[in-house]
Amino acid sequence: YGEGSLRLTNVKASFRPEAAVRVAFAAHWDTRPRADREDPPSDQPILGANDGASGVAVLMALADVLRDDPPPFGVDLLFFDGEDYGREGDLDNYLLGSMRFVEDFPGYRPAALVLLDMVGKKNLRIPMEMQSLRQNPTLVRVVFNRALALGLDAFDPVPGRPVHDDHVPFLRRGIPAVNLIDLDYPPWHTLRDTPDQCDPDSLGQVGRPLVALIRDDFARGRGLTR
């Protein structure tokens, strides 16, 4: 939106990089450069405790688990930049990091991608994001069935609205993806998106099924495209 270029950085961390079968878990690590949902709107960047940092926090904890007990297949942790750069309504300038990632690595085709976004709020409720459900119903149901089997009430197995998020570039490439997100968050895109709005229990409810999916469902091929 200004003069010059915009320099962004994606991060990819791999466990068992030699394995042919791979599953990706992703989040965006940038935060919004403007608080346009403030009244009045502000040009001040948001802290992004939930919108950005919550998904990153879960993946960092997952990295600790996989370091101590390596997965039975290849796992990639993807951290995208520039997801939240665009001004409202300008969808071409959102998802900059994930769009560039699939462009730069056209041969990267994981058997599934699980995206985490805005998963830290109090009283978390994650429905089945509509684009994920329409294109990959089996994968979505495997993820939600695992969460429900663990007794995690943050997961609500009902259709939710479609969300323009970092899973979209992968869906467009035919890669199965599921977006775990709770958009019902009043501090969204405001200066109030701070750690006091988040709950460690919510992060745990999202992290626990990821570990179980790796150890059980995905290890057995459930929901995966090989």
Side-chain angles (χ1 to χ4, degrees):
Y1 295 122
E3 296 181 0
S5 62
L6 180 67
R7 187 173 184 86
L8 302 175
T9 302
N10 291 326
V11 178
K12 175 174 175 278
S14 297
F15 294 84
R16 294 195 60 191
E18 78 288 350
V21 176
R22 315 201 62 76
V23 173
F25 297 88
H28 72 91
W29 71 270
D30 66 305
T31 59
R32 194 155 181 78
R34 66 196 74 84
D36 41 10
R37 291 269 173 167
E38 282 290 320
D39 186 16
S42 169
D43 288 332
Q44 183 176 343
I46 71 167
L47 188 62
N50 186 32
D51 191 3
S54 63
V56 172
V58 174
L59 294 190
M60 294 295 286
L62 181 61
D64 287 340
V65 171
L66 299 179
R67 175 199 60 200
D68 296 337
D69 187 6
F73 49 84
V75 171
D76 299 314
L77 305 183
L78 307 178
F79 302 86
F80 299 122
D81 202 351
E83 186 271 350
D84 228 347
Y85 180 73
R87 291 176 178 153
E88 286 204 29
D90 182 12
L91 295 184
D92 289 342
N93 280 307
Y94 283 83
L95 319 184
L96 298 180
S98 55
M99 287 194 298
R100 182 60 182 264
F101 184 89
V102 298
E103 178 183 332
D104 285 350
F105 304 101
Y108 180 73
R109 301 194 64 84
L113 179 139
V114 180
L115 175 65
L116 312 180
D117 195 0
M118 298 176 64
V119 294
K121 62 168 266 192
K122 300 171 183 177
N123 300 314
L124 184 68
R125 176 187 171 275
I126 301 174
M128 296 173 164
E129 189 270 333
M130 183 53 67
Q131 294 189 86
S132 307
L133 185 59
R134 283 175 178 164
Q135 297 193 42
N136 306 287
T138 300
L139 173 61
V140 171
R141 291 191 177 101
V142 165
V143 172
F144 274 75
N145 286 343
R146 174 50 57 189
L148 295 175
L150 293 171
L152 304 174
D153 56 13
F155 289 78
D156 190 3
V158 299
R161 59 174 163 165
V163 181
H164 190 68
D165 211 339
D166 279 322
H167 65 313
V168 170
F170 292 87
L171 291 176
R172 289 172 177 167
R173 294 293 178 99
I175 296 171
V178 54
N179 183 13
L180 302 182
I181 186 169
D182 181 355
L183 269 179
D184 183 14
Y185 182 58
W188 182 57
H189 290 182
T190 74
L191 301 175
R192 293 173 287 114
D193 188 1
T194 49
D196 60 289
Q197 302 293 327
C198 298
D199 186 348
D201 178 68
S202 298
L203 301 178
Q205 288 208 49
V206 175
R208 285 176 58 198
L210 300 189
V211 175
L213 286 164
I214 292 171
R215 301 297 177 214
D216 189 349
D217 301 275
F218 291 168
R220 298 172 185 267
R222 298 183 190 128
L224 300 186
T225 299
R226 295 182 183 268

